[in-house]
Amino acid sequence: MPVLTEVIGRVGLITLNRPQQLNALNDALMDALGAALLAFDADAAIGAIVITGGERAFAAGADIAVMATWTYMDVFSSEFITRNWETIRRVRKPVIAAVAGYAMGGGCELALACDIVVAARSARFALPEVKLAMLPGAGGTQRLPRAIGKAKAMDMCLSARTLDADEADRYGLVSRVVPDERLREDTLALATQIAGYSLPALMAIKESVNRAHESSLGEGIWFERRQLHARFASEDAHEGMQAFLDKRKPVFRHR
C-alpha cells in the first residue's frame, strides 16, 4: 500500500509508504494520499491530519524513473500534478507535515502545501529540479517565495541549494524543529492539541490565513472580519467564552 493510515484520538495519521524508493511520489501514491486526506477531512471524528514519511526520507521527490520518457502531450492531457497532487488544497482541516530525512523536489513541495511543518534535526529540504533542466512544478516556485521571500527562494530554485533543519527554521520554511526521536511524539501532541479546539474555528482560521497569501490586505481583512462575525453564530464560541468566565475547561461540540 502506498500510504498507511491510522487514527489516534481526533488525529488522522497518514504515512507515505514506499521506503525502498525513499517515498518517491508517483501517481499511485498521490492518488492514495489524496483519498486518505479527503476521507479524514470528511470524518467528523477527526480534527487534524498529520502526513509523515520514514526516518531516511519524508519524500525524495517525484519518481523520475516513471517520468523520464513522458512527452508534453502525456503530461498535458493527463493533467499531471493538477489531477492528484493538488488534492491537499481541498482539505479544510489543519494538515501538519512531520518531516525527517530528505524532503526533496516534490517532497519539499508537499511539505510546503501543508499548514504546519514540524522538522526533525535530520530533515533536509531542497528543490533540485534545475539539475534535470526542469523546474519545481507542484507549487514550489509559488509557495516557497511566500514562505521565505523572493531572494532565498531564487537561491534554492536556481542553485538547488539544500537547507538543513536549522536553516529551514531560520528561513521560515518550517514551523518548529525537534529531535528525531521525538518527531512522532511531538507532532502528534501538537496535532492532538489543535484537534481539541473547535473544528469550525480551526477551519475559519485556516481559510483566513490562506486568504492572506492569495489576496490584497484589504480583501483579507474583510474576509477575516466576516469569519469573526460568523463565530458568533457558533455554539462552540459561546461555550468557549462562557467557560472562560466560569473558569472551567470548555466542552466543544464542533458546531
Side-chain angles (χ1 to χ4, degrees):
M1 298 177 64
V3 304
L4 304 175
T5 61
E6 184 178 356
V7 174
I8 303 167
R10 284 184 53 79
V11 176
L13 175 64
I14 304 171
T15 302
L16 309 182
N17 188 41
R18 298 187 73 208
Q20 299 304 315
Q21 296 80 23
L22 297 180
N23 292 329
L25 305 173
N26 62 7
D27 266 348
L29 188 151
M30 297 310 295
D31 285 342
L33 173 60
L37 284 167
L38 293 180
F40 280 143
D41 202 38
D43 187 343
I46 298 296
I49 303 167
V50 173
I51 302 174
T52 193
E55 294 181 1
R56 293 178 59 201
F58 174 70
D63 195 335
I64 305 302
V66 174
M67 297 166 51
T69 61
W70 288 353
T71 67
Y72 172 80
M73 281 308 300
D74 289 332
V75 296
F76 180 71
S77 61
S78 68
E79 290 195 296
F80 174 53
I81 294 180
T82 305
R83 181 178 61 80
N84 50 10
W85 288 57
E86 294 188 352
T87 304
I88 193 169
R89 296 184 63 192
R90 295 161 53 191
V91 178
R92 302 179 67 193
K93 295 174 182 176
V95 180
I96 304 170
V99 180
Y102 297 114
M104 301 293 176
C108 182
E109 291 172 301
L110 175 58
L112 284 168
C114 295
D115 303 309
I116 296 174
V117 181
V118 180
R121 290 280 174 199
S122 66
R124 297 293 182 268
F125 299 86
L127 293 173
E129 287 86 350
V130 68
K131 293 181 177 181
L132 307 179
M134 297 291 282
L135 61 80
T141 65
Q142 304 304 301
R143 292 191 178 98
L144 189 64
R146 287 168 166 80
I148 69 176
K150 176 184 174 181
K152 289 181 170 60
M154 282 287 196
D155 190 357
M156 286 186 67
C157 291
L158 296 177
S159 73
R161 180 180 181 184
T162 298
L163 301 184
D164 64 26
D166 287 333
E167 288 176 310
D169 188 27
R170 290 198 303 271
Y171 280 17
L173 194 156
V174 306
S175 310
R176 58 182 77 182
V177 178
V178 300
D180 279 64
E181 63 272 16
R182 292 190 58 87
L183 178 63
R184 177 185 169 96
E185 179 183 353
D186 286 1
T187 306
L188 287 175
L190 172 62
T192 299
Q193 177 189 358
I194 291 171
Y197 298 132
S198 168
L199 182 57
L202 295 172
M203 294 163 70
I205 291 168
K206 176 171 175 172
E207 287 184 352
S208 296
V209 174
N210 282 335
R211 181 61 63 98
H213 280 286
E214 299 171 4
S215 64
S216 67
L217 177 60
E219 183 181 343
I221 290 292
W222 178 88
F223 185 84
E224 175 192 80
R225 202 59 35 79
R226 287 293 175 263
Q227 291 283 14
L228 174 64
H229 292 168
R231 293 295 84 230
F232 288 86
S234 164
E235 292 181 17
D236 284 346
H238 289 284
E239 163 64 11
M241 290 185 284
Q242 191 59 52
F244 175 82
L245 295 175
D246 295 343
K247 296 181 171 56
R248 60 175 174 82
K249 186 176 181 179
V251 179
F252 294 130
R253 300 178 64 190
H254 308 291
R255 296 179 178 176

